[in-house]
Amino acid sequence: MQPGVGPYAGAGVMKNAVRAEWTKLRTDAVTLVLLLGAVVSTVAVGAAVAVTSRCDAPGCGGDAIRISLTGVMVGQVVVAIAGVLMVGGEYGTGMMRSTLTALPRRSTVLCSKATVLTVVLLLTGTVSVLGSLLVGGLALPGRGFTEAHGFEPLSLADGAALRAAAGSVLYLVLIGLLSQGVALIVRNSATAVGIVLALLLVLPIVAQVVGDPDWQRHLQQIAPMTAGLTVQATVGVDELPLGPWQGLGVLALWATGALVAGGGLLRSRDA
């Protein structure tokens, strides 16, 4: 085998590509501010909803975990913008040409970007979700979410709570990857952000407007946000249009499809 050829050489190229993407990300002040903003907005909105919610009697129908994690719906917008800019920013400045010159194998470019974004969003999402649950655990008992009303203290030792927490972290990661894939497809940050936000926010509105219950349920099952956020539910799970992990799987299919399409176009088009 020739020097520099084979799996070890491939692993070295991938390692260098990941290191390069990490350097770009950590030296980009805009992306760092966005990631911090995702944490702050997620926790702040969750706290605001928690302190304004009430459960005045047993059987009030609230879902303490989901209330605490409401901020994920806002944090996802910031995460989507960060995911888009990781690719769209390079197309906007022309840096993508340099990236593809240094790394002609475009699948390596795609994998390195997705890997760095995944790791960063796993950390961002974990901090956001744990912070939200901590604030919710402190605020909700004072709003009537007590054992006397049928609510156990928030704890990740509970299987449903752990699933909601872990699923919310994965949800944010998948939103970032979906956004990155869309940015690779359209190669324009503003357009990509618009498309992602339309997928996340417009489809649920359309589902609410549709009068037919069957069509409404189908739209909820395929919309990336409504399907993906079912993973947060710990109350009334049997009434959901999809099971929690099934819903997250729908979002994973959206993200995979966007990355596959984006990767295919990355290989077939000039920078």
Side-chain angles (χ1 to χ4, degrees):
M1 184 177 292
Q2 297 178 356
V5 178
Y8 294 107
V13 170
M14 183 62 187
K15 183 178 179 180
N16 290 335
V18 168
R19 185 182 294 116
E21 291 301 329
W22 166 242
T23 300
K24 292 179 196 174
L25 188 145
R26 68 183 176 82
T27 55
D28 183 354
V30 173
T31 302
L32 294 178
V33 169
L34 285 171
L35 294 173
L36 178 60
V39 174
V40 172
S41 60
T42 300
V43 176
V45 171
V49 174
V51 299
T52 55
S53 299
R54 285 206 63 84
C55 180
D56 296 320
C60 64
D63 186 334
I65 296 292
R66 202 162 194 176
I67 289 171
S68 300
L69 295 173
T70 304
V72 170
M73 296 180 66
V74 177
Q76 69 176 342
V77 175
V78 187
V79 165
I81 295 171
V84 164
L85 290 182
M86 191 171 178
V87 171
E90 287 199 43
Y91 278 115
T93 61
M95 186 184 293
M96 186 60 78
R97 294 188 184 89
S98 300
T99 297
L100 296 179
T101 299
L103 287 169
R105 182 172 293 181
R106 301 190 177 195
S107 60
T108 302
V109 173
L110 174 63
C111 290
S112 62
K113 288 183 179 296
T115 298
V116 170
L117 184 63
T118 296
V119 172
V120 169
L121 291 183
L122 280 172
L123 177 59
T124 302
T126 299
V127 174
S128 301
V129 167
L130 291 181
S132 298
L133 292 176
L134 176 61
V135 173
L138 293 173
L140 287 174
R143 306 299 297 172
F145 291 84
T146 61
E147 293 186 65
H149 290 166
F151 293 91
E152 297 293 329
L154 297 189
S155 171
L156 293 181
D158 176 68
L162 180 60
R163 180 254 298 154
S168 294
V169 174
L170 293 176
Y171 176 87
L172 290 172
V173 172
L174 290 170
I175 291 297
L177 293 175
L178 168 63
S179 304
Q180 191 174 76
V182 171
L184 283 167
I185 293 170
V186 301
R187 302 198 294 186
N188 179 276
S189 295
T191 303
V193 170
I195 291 172
V196 173
L197 294 185
L199 286 173
L200 295 178
L201 304 176
V202 175
L203 280 179
I205 295 173
V206 173
Q208 292 300 318
V209 172
V210 171
D212 188 295
D214 290 333
W215 274 103
Q216 188 177 77
R217 188 176 182 85
H218 291 323
L219 285 172
Q220 290 172 340
Q221 289 172 332
I222 65 172
M225 186 176 78
T226 52
L229 287 178
T230 58
V231 79
Q232 293 182 343
T234 62
V235 174
V237 175
D238 294 338
E239 301 172 4
L240 296 172
L242 283 171
W245 290 119
Q246 289 176 317
L248 196 66
V250 169
L251 176 57
L253 288 175
W254 277 95
T256 301
L259 285 172
V260 169
L265 290 172
L266 180 66
R267 287 191 294 271
S268 64
R269 297 186 301 200
D270 294 331

